[in-house]
Amino acid sequence: KTQVEQSPQSLVVRQGENCVLQCNYSVTPDNHLRWFKQDTGKGLVSLTVLVHENDKTSNGRYSATLDKDAKHSTLHITATLLDDTATYICVVGDRGSALGRLHFGAGTQLIVIP
Amino acid sequence: DMKVTQMPRYLIKRMGENVLLECGQDMSHETMYWYRQDPGLGLQLIYISYDVDSNSEGDIPKGYRVSRKKREHFSLILDSAKTNQTSVYFCASSFWDRAGNTLYFGEGSRLIVV
């Protein structure tokens, strides 16, 4: 059973608009959560990591929140650019060591149109 | 220059042939991974390596084996490839800090088995 669910599956926005991507998970324990960006035909690149209960992070136009009680995270992209077109992947780590497992969501495909 | 390099990037093989996918990293990371990515699914862990000659099965090891004789190099081998092994394979290396597991991904090796 998938332990990391992302929504929406795909999303089309106009350049300049804001968007919100959702990640719900059932992984236990949930040590940390990371958002990755994957451009078409490329590898995954880390955007941000959330560790603590009710953590919030900001990385330029990307900001993220984590609610460990609800096992829910959001990724906000502000003033989208054409280069934001990519798949965004939510990953939950169940431990803070190399012995832990990483649980990957299937991703949200974001398309930014002019 | 922190980089994970995968070779080859694209490969077409006939069913029953052997496949060698190679991965190198220049960061002296102890831990390395092989994942596969299929449409609609999250990345699935094939093998993890904690250091030279210290490899463990992931979630889907059947049909694969690995070799790590140098810390910077991790190979994935398919003995007698099958059509259901058509996929995109990603290698990653990682280090651990207070934020958990920071992964660096290669750009992927797209394998088609016909």
Side-chain angles (χ1 to χ4, degrees), chain A residues 66-84:
Chain A
L66 174 62
D67 181 343
K68 283 196 172 183
D69 278 344
K71 291 189 179 291
H72 176 74
S73 177
T74 59
L75 177 68
H76 297 247
I77 307 176
T78 304
T80 53
L81 303 172
L82 297 178
D83 283 348
D84 291 332

Side-chain angles (χ1 to χ4, degrees), chain B residues 63-104:
Chain B
Y64 304 94
R65 61 184 174 93
V66 292
S67 174
R68 187 141 179 232
K69 297 302 182 185
K70 294 181 180 179
R71 178 172 283 187
E72 64 269 19
H73 193 251
F74 191 33
S75 300
L76 180 69
I77 301 118
L78 289 67
D79 295 315
S80 187
K82 300 173 180 54
T83 55
N84 62 8
Q85 292 178 308
T86 291
S87 187
V88 182
Y89 292 87
F90 285 97
C91 174
S93 70
S94 72
F95 74 92
W96 293 84
D97 58 18
R98 70 155 197 92
N101 187 4
T102 300
L103 268 71
Y104 291 85

Side-chain angles (χ1 to χ4, degrees), chain A residues 2-6 23 27 34 36 44 89-93 101-107, chain B residues 33 35-37 41-45 59 92 103 105:
Chain A
T2 302
Q3 296 193 62
V4 180
E5 300 276 0
Q6 292 188 242
C23 177
V27 177
R34 195 178 289 271
F36 286 89
L44 284 69
I89 296 173
C90 171
V91 183
V92 180
R101 276 285 195 254
L102 297 174
H103 302 266
F104 288 77
Chain B
Y33 310 78
Y35 289 93
R36 64 178 281 175
Q37 185 178 39
L41 298 178
L43 269 71
Q44 298 176 84
L45 179 64
D59 299 318
L103 268 71
F105 281 87

Side-chain angles (χ1 to χ4, degrees), chain B residues 25-70:
Chain B
Q25 49 104 355
D26 59 2
M27 298 165 278
S28 296
H29 289 164
E30 294 178 351
T31 308
M32 295 185 74
Y33 310 78
W34 276 106
Y35 289 93
R36 64 178 281 175
Q37 185 178 39
D38 299 296
L41 298 178
L43 269 71
Q44 298 176 84
L45 179 64
I46 304 171
Y47 268 93
I48 182 171
S49 174
Y50 297 105
D51 211 332
V52 171
D53 285 330
S54 179
N55 307 317
S56 290
E57 295 181 346
D59 299 318
I60 52 163
K62 188 177 179 182
Y64 304 94
R65 61 184 174 93
V66 292
S67 174
R68 187 141 179 232
K69 297 302 182 185
K70 294 181 180 179

